[in-house]
Amino acid sequence: STLHDHVSGKVNPGATGHSRYLSDIEEEELVLFLKKSAEIGYPRAKKDAILLAQAIVEVKGLDVQVTEGWWERFQGRHPSLILRKGETLSQRRLDVTNREILDRYYDLLLQILTHHDIFNKPTQIFNCDETNVPL
């Protein structure tokens, strides 16, 4: 049918492939958003990216449906964007990425090590967790 479309004039002879729904800048912003979301513990799935792109084209007034085909072409244009099945960080794990909380932790650690006079005695400092610790 593609050959028929070309012969019948339905397709412009100079046209190649699909027209792009998003501009280069919009695509770069979407890539940045997807990467930053994953970085802070909120990875996005393919369907999220498609829904975001759909929202953008609707705001632009385009009457198109963003599909999985769009996603495949988008990913081809942005090979650095790799969506993996991820899990969101727990609130506790997310909290430890907070600069204020990290600063408080290290201030408290310094205070405890100084109080017990072991700051400069690394052989007296042990690391352990609940594994193999009988209670």
Side-chain angles (χ1 to χ4, degrees), residues 1 3-4 12 14 20 23 29 36-37 47 52 56 62 72 75 77 79 82 85 98-99 109 113 117 127 130 135:
S1 176
L3 183 57
H4 179 268
N12 180 352
R20 294 192 28 204
S23 69
E29 287 294 321
K36 288 292 183 186
S37 294
K47 69 176 182 176
L52 285 166
I56 294 168
L62 300 176
E72 290 168 10
Q75 226 180 357
R77 289 189 296 275
I82 300 170
K85 185 171 177 119
N98 179 313
R99 180 67 183 206
L109 180 62
L113 294 176
D117 193 31
N127 181 32
E130 69 279 359
L135 297 176

Side-chain angles (χ1 to χ4, degrees), residues 8-107:
S8 66
K10 288 183 183 177
V11 176
N12 180 352
T16 58
H18 297 272
S19 61
R20 294 192 28 204
Y21 301 152
L22 306 181
S23 69
D24 289 342
I25 292 171
E26 291 165 332
E27 284 197 3
E28 288 302 324
E29 287 294 321
L30 181 55
V31 168
L32 183 64
F33 173 78
L34 294 170
K35 286 181 175 182
K36 288 292 183 186
S37 294
E39 251 178 54
I40 64 170
Y42 295 99
R44 304 296 177 167
K46 173 174 53 173
K47 69 176 182 176
D48 297 323
I50 291 171
L51 289 171
L52 285 166
Q54 185 66 49
I56 294 168
V57 299
E58 287 173 6
V59 167
K60 292 172 70 170
L62 300 176
D63 186 25
V64 295
Q65 185 65 38
V66 178
T67 64
E68 299 238 350
W70 170 85
W71 168 254
E72 290 168 10
R73 291 184 302 279
F74 176 75
Q75 226 180 357
R77 289 189 296 275
H78 304 280
S80 68
L81 181 65
I82 300 170
L83 296 186
R84 296 180 182 92
K85 185 171 177 119
E87 42 183 82
T88 57
L89 291 176
S90 68
Q91 187 60 43
R92 283 210 182 266
R93 290 188 67 189
L94 190 55
D95 285 345
V96 299
T97 62
N98 179 313
R99 180 67 183 206
E100 217 173 277
I101 292 171
L102 283 172
D103 286 345
R104 276 192 310 201
Y105 169 80
Y106 284 108
D107 288 344

